[in-house]
Every structure is written in structure tokens, then in C-alpha cells.
């Protein structure tokens, strides 16, 4: 198996206009647990070993602040910083000890298209909880909107060390470990956040978690169903601030023998939007939400 310099999607930082409402949604409804807080921020963990998978920060309007990837080690972090800058990224913060919860060695980059990525090494991890029937284990992937999917994919591959797993007509699927994808790059009118996906223990956990979210007053925004590339089960929701979040499970595991499939091999029959043929067409409101969240201005 290829030894990737970045080994996992660790966490996502979001800006929200109502921190108390965000806490209620992402704990009681979504199933995360607050692990640290200060006056203007919350850090939330799932059931897995990551110190946190989501950080929420008070701000006037909803936005994404950054996506954090874990590096294999400090040497790999420095190596990726060099290759990313050679590929056109801007260094926003050089390597230094992280003072926020989770700790470790960290650095921050802005890619050529405006996305902000934090790289961490030797960050705090914890003993995982017992598997839950309806709570997220970790982040599964982040889907980013891209005005130029192919150019962004080239940056991920040459700059950050990812590998292309599959390419549909509108999306590139990029991996940094055995998961089919940690990042999805989606064709869009502008760059930004499409959605954040949380890994569940299996398809039934997706359904049980979805039931809890529905009970909390948030209808399914798209799904349930099973995707094509990645083969993962999905159910999408929209949080109180218009941010699209997904429960997913059973993503395809790949290795160096995987053969990349192209757009002509990812075509659905007319009227179908997932493998099973049960997911309805994606509602227009969900499509609009998937285009609404941008990276925060520097």
C-alpha cells in the first residue's frame, strides 16, 4: 500500500452564527460530544480515537474556516508543506505547536483556489468508545465545490500527495488511505463547501442516526441510498445554518491494485440517482444549500 504523507481527514472547522444552537444540534441531534470549549468555540468528538472531528466557532454568518488532515509524522508534514507551495499554495501559518485543544504540530495552507487546509502531526488521540448503533465514529470525507475540478485534483495529487480513485462526470474522488475517498471534488460555479460526511458503523447505524435527526425536526435532505463511486450508503441533512451534513457507511476499501474508473463508467439509468434506485431526485433546496457555504475570508 502506498505510504501517503497525509494519512487521514481529521476534522473540519465551521463558523456558525449561534453557538448554543449549534451545540444542541451537533450533540443531541447529530450525536457528537463536546470535548472542549471556550467563550467563542466548541470542539466535538465522535466515538473514535480522534480528539475531535468538528470545531465550531461563533461568527456573524455560516462559513467553513478550514479542513484538517493528519500527517504521518512531522517529516511528512514538512514535506507536504514544500510540495503544496510548489504547486501554488500559500503558507498562512508555519509549523508550530498547536495551542488549541488536540495539540500537536500544525501548519496552515491556502490552496490556489481559496480553500484553507490545516496539517497536523502528533496530535492528541484517545481510546475509542464502544461502537454505537447510531452515533458517528469519525469523519468519512469532505466534499468541496470546485470551479475547476481537474485543476484542484492536480493540486491534491501533486501538492498534498493524494491519489485519484475514480472520476465521474462531475466529481473527482481522492484518497489518502484505504478509504475510497477522503475528499470529493465537485464541479460547481464557485469554490466552497459542498458537505461534510460522518462515518457510521454500518448501514443500520445510518438509518438509526437518521431517525434521531428526523425526530429532532430535521427531515432527510437527500436519500437514503447507496452511492456509485465509493459504494457507500448515505443520508443527507441540512443543519440549522444551511450547512449540508451526511451520515455514511460501508465505503469501499481500495489498495494499489485499484483501477481508476472514468466518467463513462459511472452512468445511471434515466431517473436513478443511486445504486439501489430508491433515492429520490435531489431537491432543489438541497442543491442550493450545497452551494451556499464558502471558505471564510482571510
Amino acid at each position: 500500500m502506498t505510504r501517503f504523507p497525509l494519512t487521514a481527514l481529521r476534522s473540519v472547522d465551521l463558523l456558525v452564527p449561534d453557538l448554543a444552537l449549534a451545540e444542541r444540534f451537533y450533540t443531541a441531534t447529530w450525536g457528537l460530544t463536546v470535548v472542549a470549549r471556550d467563550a467563542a468555540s466548541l470542539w466535538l468528538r465522535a466515538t473514535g480515537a480522534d480528539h475531535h472531528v468538528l470545531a465550531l466557532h461563533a461568527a456573524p454568518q455560516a462559513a467553513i474556516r478550514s479542513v484538517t488532515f493528519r500527517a504521518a509524522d512531522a517529516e511528512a508534514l514538512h514535506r507536504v508543506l514544500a510540495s503544496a507551495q510548489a504547486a501554488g499554495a500559500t503558507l498562512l501559518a508555519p509549523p508550530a505547536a498547536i495551542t488549541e485543544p488536540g495539540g500537536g504540530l500544525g501548519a496552515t495552507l491556502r490552496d490556489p483556489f481559496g480553500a484553507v487546509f490545516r496539517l497536523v502531526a502528533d496530535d492528541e488521540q484517545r481510546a475509542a468508545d464502544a461502537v454505537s448503533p447510531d452515533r458517528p465514529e469519525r469523519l468519512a470525507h469532505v466534499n468541496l465545490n470546485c470551479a475547476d475540478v481537474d485543476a484542484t485534483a492536480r493540486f491534491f495529487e501533486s501538492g498534498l500527495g493524494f491519489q485519484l480513485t475514480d472520476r465521474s462526470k462531475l466529481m473527482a474522488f481522492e484518497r489518502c488511505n484505504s478509504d475510497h475517498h477522503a475528499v470529493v471534488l465537485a464541479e460547481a460555479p464557485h469554490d466552497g463547501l459542498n458537505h461534510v460526511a460522518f462515518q457510521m458503523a454500518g448501514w443500520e447505524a445510518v438509518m438509526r442516526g437518521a431517525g434521531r435527526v428526523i425526530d429532532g425536526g430535521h427531515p432527510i435532505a437527500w436519500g437514503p441510498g447507496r452511492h456509485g463511486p465509493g459504494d457507500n450508503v448515505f443520508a443527507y441533512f441540512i443543519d440549522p445554518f444551511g450547512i449540508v451534513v451526511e451520515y455514511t457507511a460501508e465505503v469501499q476499501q481500495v489498495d494499489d491494485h485499484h483501477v481508476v474508473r472514468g466518467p463513462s463508467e459511472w452512468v445511471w439509468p434515466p431517473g436513478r440517482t443511486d445504486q439501489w434506485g430508491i433515492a429520490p431526485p435531489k431537491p432543489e433546496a438541497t442543491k442550493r444549500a450545497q452551494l451556499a457555504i464558502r471558505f471564510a475570508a482571510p
Side-chain angles (χ1 to χ4, degrees):
M1 182 72 177
T2 298
R3 188 172 186 270
F4 292 95
L6 303 180
T7 60
L9 169 65
R10 202 279 304 271
S11 58
V12 171
D13 283 57
L14 299 175
L15 305 182
V16 293
D18 187 330
L19 201 58
L21 177 58
E23 179 175 357
R24 290 195 297 274
F25 175 81
Y26 281 104
T27 57
T29 302
W30 199 247
L32 302 179
T33 301
V34 175
V35 68
R37 69 169 73 234
D38 63 23
S41 299
L42 297 169
W43 290 264
L44 300 103
R45 65 174 175 84
T47 64
D50 294 315
H51 176 272
H52 65 276
V53 299
L54 183 65
L56 301 170
H57 310 282
Q61 64 182 33
I64 178 170
R65 189 167 85 172
S66 60
V67 176
T68 299
F69 298 107
R70 180 177 291 116
D73 50 35
E75 187 277 332
L77 186 150
H78 283 88
R79 182 155 36 94
V80 170
L81 288 178
S83 62
Q85 290 177 86
T90 301
L91 182 65
L92 300 181
I98 296 173
T99 58
E100 293 180 358
L105 175 72
T108 306
L109 294 164
R110 185 179 298 278
D111 80 2
F113 316 99
V116 176
F117 302 121
R118 299 180 74 193
L119 312 181
V120 301
D122 302 322
D123 58 314
E124 182 180 339
Q125 297 190 56
R126 55 185 291 277
D129 297 337
V131 174
S132 169
D134 64 353
R135 292 178 58 207
E137 298 179 320
R138 58 178 173 89
L139 288 191
H141 63 266
V142 62
N143 187 312
L144 300 177
N145 293 324
C146 305
D148 189 332
V149 171
D150 290 329
T152 309
R154 287 193 295 271
F155 172 78
F156 266 84
E157 293 154 25
S158 64
L160 300 179
F162 281 67
Q163 286 188 4
L164 179 70
T165 313
D166 281 306
R167 179 69 161 94
S168 67
K169 180 181 179 181
L170 299 178
M171 298 183 185
F173 297 81
E174 300 282 343
R175 73 180 186 272
C176 63
N177 52 41
S178 62
D179 284 355
H180 180 274
H181 53 276
V183 175
V184 183
L185 306 173
E187 182 178 303
H190 54 254
D191 295 273
L193 176 66
N194 187 289
H195 67 268
V196 181
F198 294 76
Q199 178 74 23
M200 306 294 275
W203 69 265
E204 186 165 355
V206 170
M207 301 303 283
R208 287 182 177 274
R212 184 184 60 246
V213 181
I214 292 169
D215 288 344
H218 302 272
I220 292 179
W222 184 41
R226 187 180 284 275
H227 285 308
D231 196 37
N232 45 313
V233 177
F234 66 88
Y236 288 69
F237 295 86
I238 301 174
D239 84 354
F241 315 103
I243 299 167
V244 180
V245 286
E246 175 190 1
Y247 282 149
T248 191
E250 301 179 3
V251 68
Q252 179 186 359
Q253 297 297 292
V254 300
D255 58 23
D256 292 339
H257 299 290
H258 176 79
V259 176
V260 176
R261 297 171 66 181
S264 65
E265 299 174 272
W266 294 113
V267 179
W268 297 121
R272 177 171 287 209
T273 62
D274 79 310
Q275 282 195 57
W276 291 334
I278 64 169
K282 187 182 295 182
E284 290 302 315
T286 303
K287 292 179 183 179
R288 289 194 296 271
Q290 288 180 298
L291 293 174
I293 304 300
R294 308 288 287 270
F295 276 88

